[in-house]
PDB file of all heavy atoms in Angstrom:
ATOM      1  N   TRP E  43      99.444  89.915  71.274  1.00 97.00           N
ATOM      2  CA  TRP E  43      99.843  91.040  70.437  1.00 97.00           C
ATOM      3  C   TRP E  43      99.565  90.740  68.976  1.00 97.00           C
ATOM      4  O   TRP E  43      99.023  91.595  68.233  1.00 97.00           O
ATOM      5  CB  TRP E  43     101.351  91.338  70.658  1.00 97.00           C
ATOM      6  CG  TRP E  43     101.881  92.495  69.862  1.00 97.00           C
ATOM      7  CD1 TRP E  43     101.220  93.633  69.553  1.00 97.00           C
ATOM      8  CD2 TRP E  43     103.183  92.593  69.280  1.00 97.00           C
ATOM      9  NE1 TRP E  43     102.020  94.455  68.797  1.00 97.00           N
ATOM     10  CE2 TRP E  43     103.245  93.851  68.614  1.00 97.00           C
ATOM     11  CE3 TRP E  43     104.305  91.763  69.246  1.00 97.00           C
ATOM     12  CZ2 TRP E  43     104.376  94.282  67.922  1.00 97.00           C
ATOM     13  CZ3 TRP E  43     105.457  92.204  68.565  1.00 97.00           C
ATOM     14  CH2 TRP E  43     105.485  93.450  67.920  1.00 97.00           C
ATOM     15  N   GLY E  44      99.919  89.513  68.527  1.00 97.00           N
ATOM     16  CA  GLY E  44      99.693  89.137  67.135  1.00 97.00           C
ATOM     17  C   GLY E  44      98.236  89.211  66.760  1.00 97.00           C
ATOM     18  O   GLY E  44      97.859  89.734  65.712  1.00 97.00           O
ATOM     19  N   LEU E  45      97.357  88.717  67.646  1.00 97.00           N
ATOM     20  CA  LEU E  45      95.912  88.724  67.358  1.00 97.00           C
ATOM     21  C   LEU E  45      95.357  90.140  67.347  1.00 97.00           C
ATOM     22  O   LEU E  45      94.564  90.490  66.462  1.00 97.00           O
ATOM     23  CB  LEU E  45      95.164  87.866  68.412  1.00 97.00           C
ATOM     24  CG  LEU E  45      95.380  86.345  68.286  1.00 97.00           C
ATOM     25  CD1 LEU E  45      94.772  85.642  69.478  1.00 97.00           C
ATOM     26  CD2 LEU E  45      94.732  85.820  67.007  1.00 97.00           C
ATOM     27  N   LEU E  46      95.780  90.965  68.286  1.00 97.00           N
ATOM     28  CA  LEU E  46      95.321  92.354  68.335  1.00 97.00           C
ATOM     29  C   LEU E  46      95.751  93.094  67.069  1.00 97.00           C
ATOM     30  O   LEU E  46      94.979  93.855  66.475  1.00 97.00           O
ATOM     31  CB  LEU E  46      95.863  93.075  69.571  1.00 97.00           C
ATOM     32  CG  LEU E  46      95.218  92.704  70.908  1.00 97.00           C
ATOM     33  CD1 LEU E  46      95.960  93.324  72.078  1.00 97.00           C
ATOM     34  CD2 LEU E  46      93.749  93.132  70.932  1.00 97.00           C
ATOM     35  N   ALA E  47      97.003  92.837  66.638  1.00 97.00           N
ATOM     36  CA  ALA E  47      97.512  93.495  65.428  1.00 97.00           C
ATOM     37  C   ALA E  47      96.744  93.033  64.200  1.00 97.00           C
ATOM     38  O   ALA E  47      96.399  93.827  63.332  1.00 97.00           O
ATOM     39  CB  ALA E  47      99.009  93.188  65.286  1.00 97.00           C
ATOM     40  N   LEU E  48      96.470  91.715  64.151  1.00 97.00           N
ATOM     41  CA  LEU E  48      95.731  91.172  63.034  1.00 97.00           C
ATOM     42  C   LEU E  48      94.341  91.759  62.963  1.00 97.00           C
ATOM     43  O   LEU E  48      93.785  91.976  61.880  1.00 97.00           O
ATOM     44  CB  LEU E  48      95.655  89.624  63.173  1.00 97.00           C
ATOM     45  CG  LEU E  48      95.255  88.827  61.942  1.00 97.00           C
ATOM     46  CD1 LEU E  48      96.203  89.092  60.780  1.00 97.00           C
ATOM     47  CD2 LEU E  48      95.280  87.334  62.290  1.00 97.00           C
ATOM     48  N   ALA E  49      93.738  92.017  64.121  1.00 97.00           N
ATOM     49  CA  ALA E  49      92.410  92.609  64.176  1.00 97.00           C
ATOM     50  C   ALA E  49      92.437  94.087  63.769  1.00 97.00           C
ATOM     51  O   ALA E  49      91.470  94.584  63.181  1.00 97.00           O
ATOM     52  CB  ALA E  49      91.807  92.444  65.572  1.00 97.00           C
ATOM     53  N   SER E  50      93.559  94.784  64.058  1.00 95.00           N
ATOM     54  CA  SER E  50      93.518  96.230  63.833  1.00 95.00           C
ATOM     55  C   SER E  50      93.965  96.663  62.451  1.00 95.00           C
ATOM     56  O   SER E  50      93.496  97.710  61.998  1.00 95.00           O
ATOM     57  CB  SER E  50      94.270  96.995  64.928  1.00 95.00           C
ATOM     58  OG  SER E  50      95.546  96.471  65.098  1.00 95.00           O
ATOM     59  N   GLY E  51      94.814  95.918  61.760  1.00 95.00           N
ATOM     60  CA  GLY E  51      95.122  96.326  60.383  1.00 95.00           C
ATOM     61  C   GLY E  51      96.502  95.898  59.889  1.00 95.00           C
ATOM     62  O   GLY E  51      97.326  95.463  60.661  1.00 95.00           O
ATOM     63  N   PRO E  52      96.756  96.088  58.592  1.00 96.00           N
ATOM     64  CA  PRO E  52      98.022  95.652  57.963  1.00 96.00           C
ATOM     65  C   PRO E  52      99.264  96.311  58.593  1.00 96.00           C
ATOM     66  O   PRO E  52     100.301  95.658  58.720  1.00 96.00           O
ATOM     67  CB  PRO E  52      97.857  96.078  56.513  1.00 96.00           C
ATOM     68  CG  PRO E  52      96.404  96.221  56.298  1.00 96.00           C
ATOM     69  CD  PRO E  52      95.823  96.640  57.591  1.00 96.00           C
ATOM     70  N   ASP E  53      99.156  97.584  58.958  1.00 97.00           N
ATOM     71  CA  ASP E  53     100.320  98.277  59.498  1.00 97.00           C
ATOM     72  C   ASP E  53     100.750  97.685  60.824  1.00 97.00           C
ATOM     73  O   ASP E  53     101.948  97.424  61.078  1.00 97.00           O
ATOM     74  CB  ASP E  53     100.030  99.783  59.687  1.00 97.00           C
ATOM     75  CG  ASP E  53      99.809 100.481  58.344  1.00 97.00           C
ATOM     76  OD1 ASP E  53     100.218  99.879  57.317  1.00 97.00           O
ATOM     77  OD2 ASP E  53      99.234 101.552  58.333  1.00 97.00           O
TER      78      ASP E  53
END
Side-chain angles (χ1 to χ4, degrees):
Chain E
W43 181 36
L45 288 170
L46 286 173
L48 195 57
S50 51
D53 294 342

